[in-house]
Amino acid sequence: MILFWLASCREEVKPKTGFNKQDSLANTEEVKALSKQIEEEPEQAELFYKRAQIYANEKYLNRAEDDYREAYRLDSTNALYALSLARNLYAMNMTQEAAKYYERAIQIQPDYIEAIVKLADLYFVVKEHNVILANTDTYS
């Protein structure tokens, strides 16, 4: 009986298929070319931004976050970089940090309508979430 239980608890080892979509994305010609350019010109914020866009479009938000952060670090006066980082953080449910970068985009470019709307949307969603949580607690 104990042997049967031990055998059933054993983790099944699956053979590796050799296919990892994330790695295959890194091996696309476009990403390879950008990565090579980044190696040659590591102070070019636009290169990190372009690669981040590719990662974000493919929903590799962690990789996109790293590149958006680097683009913003290299050029913290670019409102688009702050907005893009904020959108990525929001998609990762990191709302407090996203709000900070939406606000930064607006500081850089006060008439940046997209950043203003996105920040308002974030505040609305967080407020509604808090209302739902408050109502849930009263019924518990």
Side-chain angles (χ1 to χ4, degrees):
M1 183 67 121
I2 292 174
L3 289 175
F4 177 73
W5 178 77
L6 285 173
S8 67
C9 291
R10 196 179 80 219
E11 209 174 292
E12 182 181 340
V13 178
K14 295 181 181 178
K16 292 186 178 185
T17 61
F19 179 76
N20 180 331
K21 187 178 176 187
Q22 198 165 9
D23 289 341
S24 67
L25 178 64
N27 288 320
T28 63
E29 291 305 314
E30 190 174 16
V31 172
K32 278 180 169 177
L34 282 169
S35 296
K36 185 173 194 263
Q37 282 183 286
I38 288 169
E39 283 180 29
E40 294 167 359
E41 303 175 73
E43 298 301 313
Q44 293 296 318
E46 182 69 17
L47 298 174
F48 286 97
Y49 173 77
K50 286 178 180 179
R51 191 170 68 179
Q53 289 290 95
I54 295 168
Y55 289 141
N57 288 338
E58 293 296 323
K59 307 294 186 240
Y60 296 116
L61 300 180
N62 289 329
R63 284 187 180 188
E65 177 191 1
D66 292 342
D67 279 354
Y68 282 135
R69 282 187 189 281
E70 188 61 15
Y72 180 77
R73 186 190 70 77
L74 291 167
D75 184 0
S76 61
T77 65
N78 189 316
L80 177 60
Y81 297 165
L83 174 72
S84 298
L85 177 55
R87 282 193 315 228
N88 197 80
L89 292 166
Y90 185 40
M92 296 172 74
N93 203 27
M94 298 170 68
T95 55
Q96 285 184 327
E97 196 171 2
K100 178 179 112 175
Y101 285 100
Y102 283 133
E103 290 168 357
R104 181 66 184 127
I106 296 165
Q107 288 173 347
I108 296 166
Q109 187 178 329
D111 62 344
Y112 202 168
I113 299 300
E114 185 179 356
I116 294 166
V117 169
K118 293 286 188 183
L119 181 60
D121 178 58
L122 182 146
Y123 284 147
F124 177 78
V125 168
V126 169
K127 181 181 176 187
E128 288 299 304
H129 178 74
N130 289 337
V131 167
I132 291 168
L133 285 178
N135 289 336
T136 303
D137 289 342
T138 57
Y139 296 112
S140 297

